[in-house]
Amino acid sequence: MGIVKTSSTIQENKQFALDSCPVTHLMEKIGSYWKPIILWQLSTGHKRYSELKRAIPAITEKMLIQHLKQLEGDNLLIRESKPVVPPYVTYRLTKAGEGLLPVIHAMAEWSFRDKAGAFK
């Protein structure tokens, strides 16, 4: 990945948005198509990689791995690896990740209501 020019107008605008809008900060953490879905899957407890892959069949392995690493880097999930053959890796939410569950559940509730036509 390239070096980010910190003095650019784009970076200044982004920093302004992060400082002035709490939703911008949230979207930096979970603002992709797959991250809320991964968090939703982990809301019921820890899961192995293969369980996540089965639960989200439309996601590619590359995207799942990439987003799991990003969520781990953002301190929203913990990756636990046991040194056995074959590798045994599980993922679970951190306290910060658990703190997002009301947001994820609110998104799900809105979705159920929208699908049922509650907003028409």
Side-chain angles (χ1 to χ4, degrees), residues 60-95:
T60 64
E61 286 192 34
K62 177 186 177 196
M63 291 305 291
L64 181 56
I65 291 167
Q66 178 181 331
H67 288 308
L68 287 169
K69 285 180 180 180
Q70 289 173 358
L71 288 166
E72 183 181 17
D74 286 335
N75 192 37
L76 296 177
L77 64 79
I78 296 171
R79 179 185 188 271
E80 294 177 314
S81 178
K82 296 182 179 155
V84 295
V85 177
Y88 190 90
V89 177
T90 59
Y91 296 90
R92 64 181 170 85
L93 296 176
T94 63
K95 293 280 186 205

Side-chain angles (χ1 to χ4, degrees):
M1 195 174 301
I3 298 173
V4 176
K5 183 178 172 186
T6 57
S7 63
S8 72
T9 304
I10 293 172
Q11 289 304 313
E12 289 175 12
N13 290 343
K14 186 175 180 181
Q15 190 57 51
F16 176 78
L18 284 168
D19 292 342
S20 62
C21 178
V23 175
T24 302
H25 176 74
L26 173 66
M27 294 310 291
E28 279 287 308
K29 301 286 185 177
I30 66 166
S32 76
Y33 180 83
W34 297 110
K35 287 180 184 177
I37 296 168
I38 293 168
L39 293 170
W40 171 261
Q41 291 299 323
L42 291 172
S43 70
T44 58
H46 71 276
K47 293 210 178 6
R48 293 185 68 178
Y49 175 85
S50 58
E51 292 174 305
L52 286 169
K53 183 68 178 110
R54 273 194 304 275
I56 314 169
I59 193 170
T60 64
E61 286 192 34
K62 177 186 177 196
M63 291 305 291
L64 181 56
I65 291 167
Q66 178 181 331
H67 288 308
L68 287 169
K69 285 180 180 180
Q70 289 173 358
L71 288 166
E72 183 181 17
D74 286 335
N75 192 37
L76 296 177
L77 64 79
I78 296 171
R79 179 185 188 271
E80 294 177 314
S81 178
K82 296 182 179 155
V84 295
V85 177
Y88 190 90
V89 177
T90 59
Y91 296 90
R92 64 181 170 85
L93 296 176
T94 63
K95 293 280 186 205
E98 289 172 357
L100 277 172
L101 291 182
V103 175
I104 300 298
H105 288 279
M107 291 168 62
E109 178 62 29
W110 182 91
S111 178
F112 291 137
R113 291 175 62 203
D114 186 55
K115 284 181 175 182
F119 303 116
K120 293 184 180 184

